[in-house]
Amino acid sequence: MREEFLERMKTMLGEEYPRFLQCYDGEEHHALRVNTLKYRGEDLGQQTGFALERVPWCKEGFYYSGEDRPGRHPYHDAGLYYIQEASAMAPVVYLNPQPGEYILDLCAAPGGKSTQIGAAMRQQG
């Protein structure tokens, strides 16, 4: 299965294929997004003890260290933040949803972008 995938990617990417393989050797990035309906998040690092760095394109997004375990923190259980890849935050930022709009999320599983849309619309849409 792995070899079939790699062959398919090689065919699709052509001369970009070596760069694709290199991405697997790079540093991993972990991110979370604050649920602004429940928490402002300015002091999330102090409150949790996580080493956070803001995601440049998402004011609610933060990178966290690989040593941190935000999925085991009570704030996660309370829904104050959502563990989400930083790249998955970008579509909603660019969509810029506003209260009162109608938005159909056809890729709504497991729901990170949908909850991000709901927060941006302040649950009015």
Side-chain angles (χ1 to χ4, degrees):
M1 181 75 152
R2 180 177 184 267
E3 292 303 319
E4 290 172 18
F5 170 75
L6 292 175
E7 282 301 316
R8 190 173 84 213
M9 294 308 293
K10 188 174 187 177
T11 301
M12 289 172 46
L13 297 173
E15 64 185 44
E16 295 292 319
Y17 180 72
R19 286 183 48 198
F20 167 75
L21 289 179
Q22 286 175 349
C23 78
Y24 286 104
D25 296 330
E27 180 183 344
E28 287 185 44
H29 299 281
H30 308 278
L32 59 85
R33 181 183 43 79
V34 172
N35 178 355
T36 56
L37 295 173
K38 294 186 174 189
Y39 185 64
R40 289 189 184 270
E42 292 104 7
D43 59 349
L44 182 63
Q46 292 174 326
Q47 294 284 325
T48 60
F50 302 151
L52 300 177
E53 180 183 331
R54 192 169 296 276
V55 172
W57 57 86
C58 182
K59 65 183 182 217
E60 303 88 22
F62 295 90
Y63 292 111
Y64 63 88
S65 164
E67 282 88 50
D68 292 330
R69 297 289 181 246
R72 295 182 181 166
H73 196 280
Y75 280 19
H76 180 258
D77 292 336
L80 300 185
Y81 59 81
Y82 184 84
I83 297 171
Q84 183 177 18
E85 292 291 329
S87 61
M89 298 174 198
V92 177
V93 171
Y94 295 118
L95 178 63
N96 191 23
Q98 300 297 312
E101 292 181 333
Y102 291 92
I103 297 173
L104 175 61
D105 183 357
L106 295 174
C107 302
K113 286 182 279 303
S114 293
T115 61
Q116 187 178 1
I117 289 167
M121 297 172 73
R122 296 185 292 283
Q123 292 186 327
Q124 299 174 2

